Amino acid sequence: MSPSRFVSVLVALAAALLVLLLAAGARADESIFDPSRDKLHLDSFDLALTGYSQRGNGYQSQAGPPGGPGSQALTVWEPMGYFVLKKGQKLTIRILAPFDMVTAASPNAIDKTRTDTISQASRQNEAGSIDTSVTYDVSKRTTGTFRGGIHLEEDFRSWNMGLAGTRSFAEDNTTIAAGANQIYDWFDRFDYRGLRHARTQRGTTSGFVSLTQTLSPTTVGYLNYGLTEQNGELGNTWNAVPLVSNNYGGEVLPQHRLRHAFVARLAQWLPWNGALKGFYRMYADDWGIVAHTVEGQLYQRFSALFYARVSYRFHTQRGADFFRTVAFDDGNFRTADSDLQSFDAHSVGLSGTFTVPQRRIKGLEMQAAYERYFRTNDLDVNVFTWRTGFRF
Amino acid sequence: MSATKRPTPSLRPSPLLVTLTLAVSTIVLGGCTAVPQNRRVHLADPMMSVGDDPLETYRKQKLYNTREGAAGGDGAASGGGCGCQ
């Protein structure tokens, strides 16, 4: 079976499972359906500001010595809003709206008199997204979710939509979920010299199945398998590749990519008002990338109003088969993108969450978080986040 | 552009992965004893959520998806972007 057909079959199976789940739920709970029980109201909203400060070098960037790795330094400020609206007991609408303000989105040493990759992108870039999801509780045990979103970024346009469903069993001790998503990206094709070559596109189809299981009064487990197929232009189009001729060339990437990811999570309550969470993820695709990721998170509640978290994440990946720091100009697949290289990455994080007592609203929550990400091929990122949440 | 060579698929699962998958599956499926709702008080604490909150999830996607070639593929939808970050 070809990869495309395999993905199509998986997506069809996920859709069929979703329909069956929704149908089963509808039959089981028709009697309590009452859409006029309550009016649409704001249930909660969160506002967050995240800052990313990145330093490092990669061979895909021309902002360095000829043939050597160039700068990947950038700063991103990202304000976000997340709103939850509810209508009665059954309808929940979630809206996520992040906006990016990026400096030095594509640092490079291209002739400054010529058009840069995406106008002014090497200096500044703004982007915004709106993702919405509507979840309907078909019954006490069954939910269905429709989602849709759009992403705007300079010349870049992206649309996505998806369906998902969940079904609980055994007094909600077991929950299975399945879903499918489709993303379509449409953008200008700028080459590594900053020259525009009309528009191009890519499509992404994905599906997942997951299982959440209560293992004991203090333990929850979770498994997820996801499959993603991508077709079209799969690069950002302007990454450079150093050539043996001491010149630069563009990336040459396959027009197809099939990606598998398996995730396992475990959350364990600790007797001293704490929690320990474990995460493992295995990834493989047909570009030759294989990766393993593990993460541990330790939570400690110090009072009813405050808890803190420390976390450590380790990621190791084998690079794409066609990664090169210097390549022949022979038309074979090639990339010098450091993200597609073999490397190990470490991430340590710390956060604190405060609940501020309020009389007028149900809750006011504030969170501060810091994460430091660093990896073995010359890249490190500091991430700061402040979030304020209002519950009604 | 001249003809290009497709990479060789390398999706054969390692023995370690198979063993780990079986171990995790056994642990999870072995726990299929129903826990009554009145004994799940600890599971209701926000610290015990098996996933991150939506903003945290988005922040992590932003951090990892644009820096690791092995990110994504989880079947979850994510907004597009130039990938320049």
Side-chain angles (χ1 to χ4, degrees):
Chain A
M1 183 181 290
S2 70
S4 301
R5 188 166 179 80
F6 184 51
V7 172
S8 301
V9 169
L10 183 83
V11 171
L13 285 174
L17 179 59
L18 174 63
V19 170
L20 288 174
L21 292 174
L22 295 177
R27 283 197 303 273
D29 200 34
E30 284 175 344
S31 59
I32 65 169
F33 175 62
D34 181 9
S36 61
R37 188 180 298 176
D38 200 355
K39 293 181 178 178
L40 189 66
H41 64 278
L42 182 64
D43 186 68
S44 69
F45 73 91
D46 291 76
L47 301 174
L49 178 65
T50 301
Y52 302 79
S53 176
Q54 172 177 295
R55 292 185 179 280
N57 294 282
Y59 283 89
Q60 81 282 7
S61 169
Q62 300 176 61
S71 172
Q72 298 188 85
L74 62 79
T75 302
V76 182
W77 288 105
E78 184 177 62
M80 287 186 283
Y82 178 66
F83 306 86
V84 178
L85 298 93
K86 288 191 173 181
K87 185 176 188 302
Q89 300 293 316
K90 291 177 170 289
L91 189 67
T92 304
I93 300 171
R94 299 177 176 86
I95 302 171
L96 176 65
F99 299 91
D100 291 353
M101 289 168 286
V102 185
T103 65
S106 57
N108 57 65
I110 295 174
D111 181 355
K112 296 295 187 274
T113 62
R114 297 217 311 239
T115 305
D116 197 356
T117 53
I118 302 182
S119 60
Q120 304 299 315
S122 68
R123 301 186 189 95
Q124 191 168 331
N125 182 27
E126 291 87 24
S129 301
I130 293 182
D131 278 295
T132 62
S133 70
V134 180
T135 299
Y136 181 68
D137 292 357
V138 183
S139 72
K140 289 182 178 177
R141 297 190 299 164
T142 307
T143 70
T145 299
F146 170 79
R147 59 167 296 160
I150 184 169
H151 177 88
L152 305 175
E153 177 178 333
E154 300 285 349
D155 69 310
F156 193 106
R157 301 287 181 271
S158 177
W159 299 267
N160 70 79
M161 61 182 301
L163 284 171
T166 67
R167 175 76 168 167
S168 299
F169 302 92
E171 299 178 26
D172 295 338
N173 280 270
T174 303
T175 302
I176 62 171
N181 295 290
Q182 177 67 43
I183 305 172
Y184 179 74
D185 300 332
W186 188 55
F187 49 102
D188 280 347
R189 179 179 175 81
F190 284 94
D191 68 17
Y192 68 99
R193 295 162 297 186
L195 302 176
R196 182 180 181 277
H197 302 275
R199 303 285 286 183
T200 187
Q201 55 81 34
R202 66 171 159 257
T204 301
T205 305
S206 62
F208 75 92
V209 290
S210 71
L211 167 71
T212 305
Q213 175 66 48
T214 302
L215 299 171
S216 78
T218 58
T219 314
V220 182
Y222 170 85
L223 297 174
N224 177 293
Y225 169 72
L227 181 63
T228 299
E229 183 188 32
Q230 293 182 291
N231 289 289
E233 172 55 63
L234 301 184
N236 65 10
T237 74
W238 64 76
N239 275 348
V241 180
L243 301 177
V244 292
S245 58
N246 285 328
N247 293 319
Y248 285 103
E251 284 183 325
V252 182
L253 299 175
Q255 295 278 307
H256 176 266
R257 192 176 184 186
L258 188 66
R259 319 170 78 176
H260 305 260
F262 169 78
V263 168
R265 295 176 183 268
L266 196 69
Q268 174 64 53
W269 176 263
L270 302 174
W272 47 88
N273 275 340
L276 180 64
K277 294 185 187 178
F279 168 90
Y280 169 74
R281 178 176 181 274
M282 189 272 173
Y283 171 93
D285 67 26
D286 58 0
W287 285 14
I289 298 177
V290 177
H292 301 274
T293 307
V294 292
E295 182 175 2
Q297 298 178 337
L298 181 62
Y299 288 74
Q300 180 60 54
R301 182 174 288 284
F302 293 95
S303 75
L305 303 178
F306 174 68
Y307 66 88
R309 181 189 73 186
V310 293
S311 62
Y312 171 73
R313 175 183 183 271
F314 174 71
H315 171 85
T316 182
Q317 77 174 44
R318 189 179 77 195
D321 294 335
F322 44 87
F323 175 84
R324 304 282 186 273
T325 56
V326 59
F328 290 99
D329 193 13
D330 55 7
N332 283 333
F333 294 138
R334 67 187 185 216
T335 181
D337 189 342
S338 61
D339 298 345
L340 299 175
Q341 190 177 6
S342 295
F343 64 81
D344 294 340
H346 305 266
S347 180
V348 290
L350 177 68
S351 74
T353 304
F354 307 83
T355 300
V356 182
Q358 289 289 309
R359 292 181 179 176
R360 294 186 178 181
I361 60 176
K362 190 183 294 182
L364 172 61
E365 192 175 272
M366 288 187 280
Q367 184 181 69
Y370 168 73
E371 182 168 351
R372 177 168 174 77
Y373 173 88
F374 53 101
R375 67 190 200 195
T376 52
N377 63 343
D378 194 9
L379 189 83
D380 64 80
V381 189
N382 291 300
V383 185
F384 305 88
T385 300
W386 176 268
R387 176 174 68 83
T388 304
F390 302 84
R391 313 285 178 255
F392 302 102
Chain B
M1 188 174 293
S2 62
T4 54
K5 182 180 67 178
R6 290 190 65 81
T8 305
S10 52
L11 301 177
R12 182 179 299 171
S14 68
L16 175 63
L17 173 68
V18 173
T19 304
L20 196 62
T21 304
L22 288 175
V24 172
S25 302
T26 302
I27 292 170
V28 172
L29 295 176
C32 289
T33 304
V35 177
Q37 296 210 359
N38 60 5
R39 295 187 62 202
R40 297 183 207 164
V41 58
H42 294 314
L43 304 183
D45 191 298
M47 296 190 302
M48 283 294 289
S49 167
V50 289
D52 297 312
D53 69 69
L55 289 177
E56 174 91 353
T57 300
Y58 182 84
R59 184 186 64 77
K60 284 188 172 182
Q61 284 182 347
K62 192 76 175 176
L63 177 61
Y64 303 133
N65 285 15
T66 54
R67 291 175 180 82
E68 294 174 352
D74 299 303
S78 58
C82 68
C84 53
Q85 300 165 47

